[in-house]
Amino acid sequence: MNASSRSHHGYWIAGVSLILLTMFGWLRSPIDRTTGRPLLLIPEVKAVHDYQVEARSWIRQFEVLDAQISGLLIEPSGDLFSRSSQANQAVEAAVAQAQVIDRTSAPISLTSLHQSIHQAALAYLEAARSALVWISTPAPDKLDAAKANLEKARQQVEQLRHSEWLSQ
């Protein structure tokens, strides 16, 4: 084999290797499901992305909790025990969600967002607690307080939805 054929052989191997590595990278790179673009695996970027995914799931959980609390505040149906049991479940769900959010560490760049999410979780906890109070001792002022607390929680979640960190 002469030097020129070795050179062509080397270029051919390099070209095929480059194509194979490109295809492997394209197939194995993680893709952001919301944008369809590949993720950069820089630790800070991955931490922010993972937190954003988690935060979006918390917002979906807030929506479920909102529906539970709203259902409790409409015209009472069923016996006191079943309504009280449903209210207890809503309070327990709100407590569990607030604890998960509290235990989750946020990247430094998302500290403010994390505080807002935590405040929304506490607002839903207060809304669930006030719904339980109204069910236990029905009075118009307690119903008004429960509705006001639920509206406050909704407003906080609406602000989260408009956050630039979560709107992508």
Side-chain angles (χ1 to χ4, degrees):
M1 218 187 256
N2 63 23
S4 125
S5 96
R6 280 189 208 160
S7 171
H8 289 294
H9 186 61
Y11 288 129
W12 188 81
I13 289 174
V16 169
S17 298
L18 182 62
I19 290 171
L20 288 174
L21 287 172
T22 301
M23 288 177 56
F24 179 76
W26 181 70
L27 292 172
R28 299 294 300 169
S29 292
I31 303 294
D32 183 349
R33 290 187 179 114
T34 58
T35 63
R37 295 182 297 186
L39 287 176
L40 296 175
L41 293 180
I42 300 168
E44 294 83 15
V45 172
K46 181 163 179 8
V48 167
H49 178 266
D50 291 347
Y51 187 85
Q52 289 171 322
V53 168
E54 193 71 26
R56 288 182 187 107
S57 76
W58 291 331
I59 289 175
R60 286 189 298 275
Q61 291 171 8
F62 287 143
E63 292 166 354
V64 170
L65 192 55
D66 189 284
Q68 286 178 315
I69 297 168
S70 295
L72 294 169
L73 297 179
I74 59 174
E75 283 298 314
S77 60
D79 62 291
L80 180 60
F81 179 76
S82 65
R83 289 186 295 139
S84 179
S85 176
Q86 291 171 345
N88 276 326
Q89 289 173 356
V91 169
E92 289 171 4
V95 166
Q97 187 170 9
Q99 287 175 340
V100 166
I101 291 168
D102 190 46
R103 290 185 200 132
T104 302
S105 63
I108 292 175
S109 59
L110 298 180
T111 300
S112 178
L113 175 65
H114 183 74
Q115 290 172 345
S116 296
I117 292 171
H118 190 256
Q119 288 301 314
L122 294 177
Y124 270 105
L125 176 58
E126 183 58 25
R129 188 199 64 75
S130 60
L132 177 61
V133 168
W134 173 70
I135 288 170
S136 299
T137 52
D141 61 324
K142 292 181 181 174
L143 177 59
D144 291 342
K147 287 180 178 179
N149 287 333
L150 182 58
E151 185 56 35
K152 178 182 172 188
R154 287 176 177 161
Q155 289 172 358
Q156 290 185 2
V157 170
E158 191 59 32
Q159 288 176 350
L160 289 172
R161 283 191 187 104
H162 294 297
S163 167
E164 289 185 39
W165 287 108
L166 298 177
S167 62
Q168 299 171 354

